[in-house]
Amino acid sequence: VQLQESGPGLVKPSETLSLTCTVSGYSISSGYFWGWLRQPPGKGLEWIGTIYHGGSTYYNPSLKSRVTISMDTSKNQFSLKVISVTAADTAVYYCATGVMTLAASPGPFNFWGQGTLVTVSS
Amino acid sequence: DIVMTQSPDSLAVSLGERATINCKSSQTILYSSSNKNYLAWYQQKPGQPPKLLIYWASTRESGVPDRFSGSGSGTDFTLTISSLQAEDVALYYCQQYYTTASGFGQGTRVEIK
């Protein structure tokens, strides 16, 4: 499985950040889960949210009011939107995936994209 | 929310020596019905995405050298590098996937002494 993030590298404050993850080597409508994570410069990893292959979504409570994750099975892509961004949203954004557990919950993230830096600045 | 806390924040170890990183969860991440700990370890080198090393607290991902091992259960976990190599210099993160709202530790930086 290979993943590649794409989208603008610069977003103005109060605007919307939009990123797409293009998946190759696996159909996103099959049994994996698909997630977005971010890492501010020099800081640790933060889980943003996850979408299951069936379309159910789960978000970090601290970001839930501003985040939407969706999938386009015809293009084998899934996307992230973050509204009303501020400088605190400046980070490297990763898309990642992994296998569902037998308990039908997400497992660890086995595969990652290379990441894309998004800077929020006027 | 389950909070993951790693210790130490950084450590320096001589080549060939053992490196030990601890990770503590604020509540148990042992799923009793399966007796599995929902804990993973990742390695991140500069400019690269994280790489999965260990899952289920102690299962090595395919291709990961056997000098990396994971242990622990319930709320306390350890990642051990038995004989530190130069290529092991990196940041290491633990992650709980017990809840859908996944969370990571703050990271531990491993350097050569």
Side-chain angles (χ1 to χ4, degrees):
Chain A
V1 182
Q2 293 188 321
L3 303 95
Q4 180 66 59
E5 306 88 351
S6 59
L10 181 64
V11 181
K12 290 182 168 56
S14 80
E15 296 190 345
T16 297
L17 179 161
S18 296
L19 296 174
T20 296
C21 183
T22 300
V23 179
S24 57
Y26 193 85
S27 169
I28 65 170
S29 57
S30 297
Y32 285 9
F33 66 94
W34 310 91
W36 285 98
L37 305 96
R38 68 182 184 180
Q39 186 170 35
K43 296 189 178 181
L45 294 162
E46 180 180 35
W47 171 75
I48 299 172
T50 294
I51 186 166
Y52 289 11
H53 59 91
S56 301
T57 51
Y58 300 87
Y59 301 119
N60 187 321
S62 68
L63 298 168
K64 186 175 182 177
S65 63
R66 298 194 295 126
V67 169
T68 302
I69 296 175
S70 59
M71 59 196 320
D72 185 338
T73 55
S74 66
K75 295 181 180 178
N76 218 39
Q77 297 174 334
F78 63 105
S79 299
L80 170 71
K81 288 190 189 301
V82 183
I83 65 172
S84 305
V85 297
T86 69
D89 294 307
T90 294
V92 174
Y93 284 75
Y94 294 101
C95 58
T97 185
V99 180
M100 299 292 282
T101 71
L102 292 178
S105 62
F109 291 101
N110 300 76
F111 306 101
W112 296 68
Q114 284 300 306
T116 186
L117 175 62
V118 178
T119 302
V120 178
S121 175
S122 56
Chain B
D1 291 2
I2 299 177
V3 177
M4 308 300 290
T5 304
Q6 292 180 228
S7 61
D9 289 333
S10 66
L11 75 160
V13 176
S14 300
L15 287 172
E17 295 300 306
R18 179 185 300 260
T20 301
I21 301 169
N22 300 302
C23 176
K24 188 174 184 66
S25 58
S26 60
Q27 65 186 73
T28 186
I29 53 175
L30 171 63
Y31 194 44
S32 54
S33 63
S34 63
N35 200 35
K36 285 183 178 293
N37 289 281
Y38 281 47
L39 190 282
W41 289 98
Y42 298 84
Q43 175 192 66
Q44 187 179 33
K45 297 181 179 180
Q48 296 184 18
K51 172 188 174 184
L52 178 64
L53 296 177
I54 303 276
Y55 56 97
W56 299 131
S58 61
T59 301
R60 262 190 307 275
E61 177 73 326
S62 175
V64 173
D66 61 7
R67 64 180 180 273
F68 291 93
S69 63
S71 63
S73 185
T75 61
D76 293 279
F77 302 90
T78 299
L79 175 70
T80 301
I81 310 173
S82 61
S83 176
L84 191 74
Q85 304 300 303
E87 60 266 32
D88 301 333
V89 170
L91 275 165
Y92 292 84
Y93 294 94
C94 62
Q95 177 215 7
Q96 67 82 11
Y97 48 98
Y98 185 85
T99 60
T100 304
S102 177
F104 292 83
Q106 80 276 18
T108 295
R109 185 177 302 279
V110 173
E111 300 172 323
I112 304 293
K113 184 186 292 183

